Amino acid sequence: MISARDALERLRTGNRRFASDTRSGEALTNQRRRDEVAAGQEPFAIVLGCSDSRVPAEIVFDQGLGDLFVIRVAGNIVASSQVGSVEFAAGRYGTRLVVVLGHSQCGAILATLEELQQRTGHQSGNLRSIVDRVRPSVEALFATDLRHDPEALVRHAVRANIRASANHLRHGRRSSSG
């Protein structure tokens, strides 16, 4: 297995290809590769990302079948099942790098900010569980001048949530400081 540093560089290089529209294409999903991964996987990175259809990790990092162990959940939140999934991949496959992948205009972050601003309470219990996991990382932002700049508030909220999720994975608990 490759080192975390080399894995991160591989993700960065793939993301540059994606951003410049020079993706690898055929080599990522050809029959030979499908046969290889059917026999076993060796993902070089674990990605906890958002379920948003605009940010599939394999595509934004220009990686192929078997390269990434991807866990997707709205708002890239961390609950025990996500921690268990990370532990599984790290233990089973020796994967050294874990990345928390947030993104701009995340619907789960927006729903949380809206709930904090309006306190509608119209969310289902299931959606509320997501909002309640995001809330501690973004609540403090309303005590800053960011509350007057909605675009900056969303940007900072996304980053605060990423930091909180990474901290939770690192330490096994949710941080309210973001």
Side-chain angles (χ1 to χ4, degrees):
M1 193 45 46
I2 67 175
S3 71
R5 185 176 310 248
D6 290 342
L8 183 58
E9 185 52 37
R10 192 167 162 185
L11 291 178
R12 286 179 173 152
T13 299
N15 184 250
R16 284 191 292 272
R17 283 192 307 268
F18 169 76
S20 66
D21 206 22
T22 58
R23 296 181 51 217
S24 299
E26 170 63 23
L28 302 175
T29 59
N30 62 31
Q31 184 62 49
R32 186 172 121 301
R33 184 63 180 152
R34 289 193 304 270
D35 291 342
E36 287 173 2
V37 299
Q41 61 177 313
E42 293 181 0
F44 72 86
I46 301 164
V47 179
L48 171 62
C50 185
S51 298
D52 192 299
S53 64
R54 299 169 291 181
V55 288
E58 293 88 349
I59 293 174
V60 299
F61 290 123
D62 193 31
Q63 300 301 316
L65 295 174
D67 290 336
L68 304 177
F69 190 94
V70 180
I71 305 151
R72 292 181 72 178
V73 59
N76 49 272
I77 60 169
V78 178
S80 59
S81 59
Q82 285 82 29
V83 174
S85 294
V86 169
E87 290 172 351
F88 170 78
R92 174 69 56 105
Y93 307 116
T95 308
R96 309 295 304 158
L97 178 68
V98 178
V99 173
V100 176
L101 177 64
H103 65 96
S104 59
Q105 297 304 310
C106 176
I109 301 295
L110 294 172
T112 302
L113 295 174
E114 289 167 6
E115 178 65 20
L116 287 170
Q117 290 169 323
Q118 300 168 8
R119 305 268 185 209
T120 63
H122 296 317
Q123 298 161 336
S124 72
N126 297 318
L127 180 54
R128 171 142 318 275
S129 71
I130 294 171
V131 168
D132 287 346
R133 288 205 176 267
V134 173
R135 176 182 286 119
S137 63
V138 302
E139 222 165 14
L141 297 175
F142 284 100
T144 71
D145 287 339
L146 290 170
R147 68 183 178 278
H148 303 298
D149 184 347
E151 288 181 24
L153 177 64
V154 171
R155 274 194 318 276
H156 282 79
V158 165
R159 291 179 185 272
N161 188 59
I162 292 166
R163 284 190 303 272
S165 292
N167 186 55
H168 186 169
L169 289 174
R170 196 177 295 118
H171 301 292
R173 60 181 162 68
R174 185 72 175 179
S175 169
S176 60
S177 64

